[in-house]
Amino acid sequence: MTVRLEIEGAVARLLIDRADKRNAFTIAMWQAVPALLEQAAADPAVRVLVVRSAQGGAFCAGADIAELLENRDDPAWHAANQQAINAAQHALARFPLPSVAMVEGDCVGGGCGIALACDIRLATPAARFGITPAKLGLVYPLHDVKLLVDLVGPGQARRLLYTGMLIDAEQAHAIGLVQELAADEAALVAQIVAASPFSTRALKHFVARVLDGQGQEDTHSLAQFAAAFAGPDFREGTTAFVEKRKPRFGG
């Protein structure tokens, strides 16, 4: 499988495994993503999703250009490809658990979109980022443009989109595209796994609602806030605090 899911305890990893093509995505790969994410979300032990290259190196070079050229005169294929991309990105951006993209090399075009759809992006010094449709006479999905603008602001988004430039990991970190420069994801993932899964799920949902334009409490948000005080994670967290030990959350 060129994209697959591996689950180890509390960590689910969505692995991109097409190193000979710099992990470029085909339509079949896009189509496979939603079901893999559903599988990860359905596992009660999973607390965090990591998206990364299976073999290191390039994170994802974007769409498979050879496949695009082969089908350039087939409108039905293009419609199916667009639907597959949109469905995969929608599913990843709305995955109910915290998600982390670990970028070790080139993260370009649709590959950058995959990283944008995750909650947090980590990068090694070898990573490079670019959104290159303007170099190919194409456009970027509106959904992914919004993810980019939400993350880096309209000015930096325009600079990246209009030029198709590649930027290194330090530049990506400076503009907020990358949240942390790290050799791997282990330390961050361990901190997420140690936190209350009730809290991380609810907080991820709240962040999404803020990004979608909500700025005031409503009955749903107030109910979620109140429900936390009656939950087992609150009891365990406060007990651990008083006892001066690390909490052991069951979720």
Side-chain angles (χ1 to χ4, degrees):
M1 289 289 291
T2 49
V3 59
R4 67 180 191 274
L5 183 71
E6 291 186 357
I7 296 177
E8 183 179 356
V11 183
R13 287 184 171 84
L14 186 68
L15 300 173
I16 310 170
D17 196 2
R18 201 180 179 219
D20 59 321
K21 299 295 183 181
R22 298 177 60 241
N23 285 336
F25 255 62
T26 64
I27 185 174
M29 294 167 72
W30 289 115
Q31 289 170 335
V33 167
L36 294 174
L37 295 177
E38 284 185 14
Q39 181 183 341
D43 189 324
V46 171
R47 296 191 181 183
V48 62
L49 173 74
V50 176
V51 183
R52 60 173 302 153
S53 168
Q55 301 183 43
F59 177 80
C60 175
D64 186 313
I65 301 301
E67 186 180 57
L68 289 178
L69 290 174
E70 182 181 345
N71 294 280
R72 62 186 172 187
D73 298 322
D74 185 347
W77 184 90
H78 280 287
N81 187 55
Q82 182 181 37
Q83 195 280 329
I85 293 170
N86 291 347
Q89 286 292 92
H90 188 279
L92 181 55
R94 289 154 185 79
F95 187 74
L97 301 170
S99 57
V100 178
M102 182 66 229
V103 181
E104 299 174 85
D106 284 358
C107 181
V108 180
C112 196
I114 293 169
L116 288 169
C118 294
D119 297 327
I120 302 168
R121 283 143 298 281
L122 308 183
T124 70
R128 298 191 303 173
F129 297 81
I131 301 174
T132 53
K135 291 185 173 181
L136 300 171
L138 299 172
V139 296
Y140 215 45
L142 178 64
H143 174 271
D144 298 357
V145 170
K146 182 183 187 303
L147 294 176
L148 178 66
V149 172
D150 284 342
L151 194 60
V152 303
Q156 292 291 357
R158 293 183 184 113
R159 182 172 75 104
L160 294 172
L161 291 167
Y162 296 172
T163 65
M165 65 172 61
L166 291 178
I167 60 173
D168 62 22
E170 287 191 2
Q171 292 180 71
H173 185 242
I175 66 173
L177 183 59
V178 165
Q179 282 62 65
E180 185 178 331
L181 301 177
D184 59 46
E185 73 276 14
L188 177 65
V189 166
Q191 292 179 69
I192 294 173
V193 169
S196 158
F198 172 87
S199 296
T200 55
R201 277 178 176 264
L203 291 168
K204 174 166 182 170
H205 180 60
F206 278 12
V207 170
R209 295 182 73 176
V210 169
L211 290 174
D212 286 339
Q214 182 172 344
Q216 300 294 328
E217 301 283 2
D218 60 14
T219 55
H220 175 77
S221 64
L222 290 171
Q224 278 227 283
F225 183 86
F229 291 95
D233 280 9
F234 174 69
R235 290 194 294 275
E236 170 59 18
T238 51
T239 300
F241 178 82
V242 170
E243 295 177 354
K244 294 182 172 56
R245 61 171 174 81
K246 292 182 179 180
R248 297 181 291 272
F249 293 113

